[in-house]
């Protein structure tokens, strides 16, 4: 009987992981931006499907990530030979979230790099913002910072297996809650109090798949990103 219970639990666990990794992101009232990584026909533009205008273009056309088959639709492949994506134009700081932010991404990660592998990062010109990335030693990490303080929440994650995974990061300015989830299961939680509010009137540096142009090559993501959604303080 005990073996049967264990077997059922294992099957259910795989079912949850499989279910989470197949979920297609959809825009809702909390959505700030939503991208499914297929280039627009005849261009290297990735359309923001939320309707809020956060379209993306490669940092470097000659080193643009390659479009490949993804988990739901298509995906973009990032490695040491590619640059990331950036906003097609200057946008106000809504990508930071006025009260907090949730970042959700469907990824297939390869072997972790020596430093960071940027999934997405968003900083205002005042150096206030967040960075969601893979890290050395097989970790998933969310960094939150303002002008005088940086706090990180991280945890080893079983995502470097050449399979698709749903990774999520949540941060609330009001409560200070910071949460990491993989395939629907919480892997880390921490209280992060920075005593600040993010300004939504400042302009931002935003990138996917690589750090901003000022960062070294070690910040590239190693693998594919199928889709990514940013929401206003909507706990995953």
């Amino acid at each position: 009987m005990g073996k049967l219970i264990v077997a059922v639990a294992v099957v259910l666990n795989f079912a949850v992981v499989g279910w989470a990794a197949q979920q297609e992101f959809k825009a809702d009232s909390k959505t700030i931006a939503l991208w499914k990584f297929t280039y627009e026909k005849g261009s290297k533009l990735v359309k923001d499907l939320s309707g809020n205008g956060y379209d993306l273009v490669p940092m470097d056309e000659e080193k643009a990530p390659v479009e490949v088959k993804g988990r739901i639709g298509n995906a973009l492949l990032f490695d040491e030979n590619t640059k990331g994506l950036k906003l097609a134009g200057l946008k106000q700081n809504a990508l930071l979230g006025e009260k907090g932010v949730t970042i959700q991404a469907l990824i297939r990660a390869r072997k972790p790099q020596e430093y960071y592998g940027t999934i997405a990062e968003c900083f205002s010109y005042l150096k206030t913002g967040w960075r969601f990335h893979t890290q050395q030693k097989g970790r998933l990490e969310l960094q939150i910072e303002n002008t005088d303080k940086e706090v990180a929440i991280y945890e080893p994650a079983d995502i470097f297996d050449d399979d698709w995974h749903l990774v999520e990061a949540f941060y609330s300015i009001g409560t200070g809650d910071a949460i990491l989830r993989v395939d629907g299961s919480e892997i880390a939680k921490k209280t992060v109090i920075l005593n600040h509010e993010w300004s939504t009137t400042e302009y931002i540096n935003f990138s996917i798949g690589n750090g901003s142009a000022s960062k070294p090559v070690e910040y590239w993501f190693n693998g594919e990103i199928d889709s990514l959604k940013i929401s206003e303080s909507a706990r995953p």
Side-chain angles (χ1 to χ4, degrees), residues 25-74:
F25 299 149
K26 299 183 184 300
D28 53 38
S29 61
K30 296 287 188 179
T31 304
I32 297 173
L34 170 62
W35 303 279
K36 298 178 182 179
F37 291 108
T38 299
Y39 290 127
E40 291 290 290
K41 187 175 181 180
S43 75
K44 294 292 186 183
L45 180 80
V46 177
K47 197 75 175 173
D48 172 17
L49 301 179
S50 74
N52 292 328
Y54 291 102
D55 299 338
L56 302 171
V57 293
M59 294 178 181
D60 184 335
E61 281 272 352
E62 295 183 359
K63 296 183 178 181
V66 177
E67 190 173 330
V68 296
K69 180 176 174 58
R71 184 65 185 85
I72 302 296
N74 288 341

Side-chain angles (χ1 to χ4, degrees), residues 19 40 43 47 50-51 58 75 92 97 104 115 120 132 160 202:
W19 175 86
E40 291 290 290
S43 75
K47 197 75 175 173
S50 74
Q92 288 185 323
Q104 300 170 286
Y115 297 106
F132 188 34
F160 301 96
E202 298 294 330

Side-chain angles (χ1 to χ4, degrees), residues 100-101 142 144 153 169-180 189-193 235:
V101 68
L142 174 67
I144 305 291
I153 174 175
F170 167 82
Y171 173 60
S172 168
I173 291 176
T175 65
D177 287 344
I179 297 170
L180 294 177
K189 183 175 181 179
K190 185 176 184 178
T191 300
V192 177
I193 303 296
R235 183 190 293 262

Side-chain angles (χ1 to χ4, degrees), residues 90-93 123-126 199-205:
L90 285 175
K91 294 288 183 181
Q92 288 185 323
N93 221 357
F123 286 93
S124 74
Y125 290 167
L126 296 177
S199 170
T200 56
T201 60
E202 298 294 330
Y203 288 99
I204 61 173
N205 285 311

Side-chain angles (χ1 to χ4, degrees), residues 3 6-7 10 14 19 45 52 86 99 107 118 133 162-163 182 190:
K3 290 183 179 179
V6 171
V10 169
F14 279 128
W19 175 86
L45 180 80
N52 292 328
K86 64 179 182 179
K99 297 180 181 179
I107 67 171
T118 301
H133 55 223
D162 199 24
D163 202 355
V182 173
K190 185 176 184 178

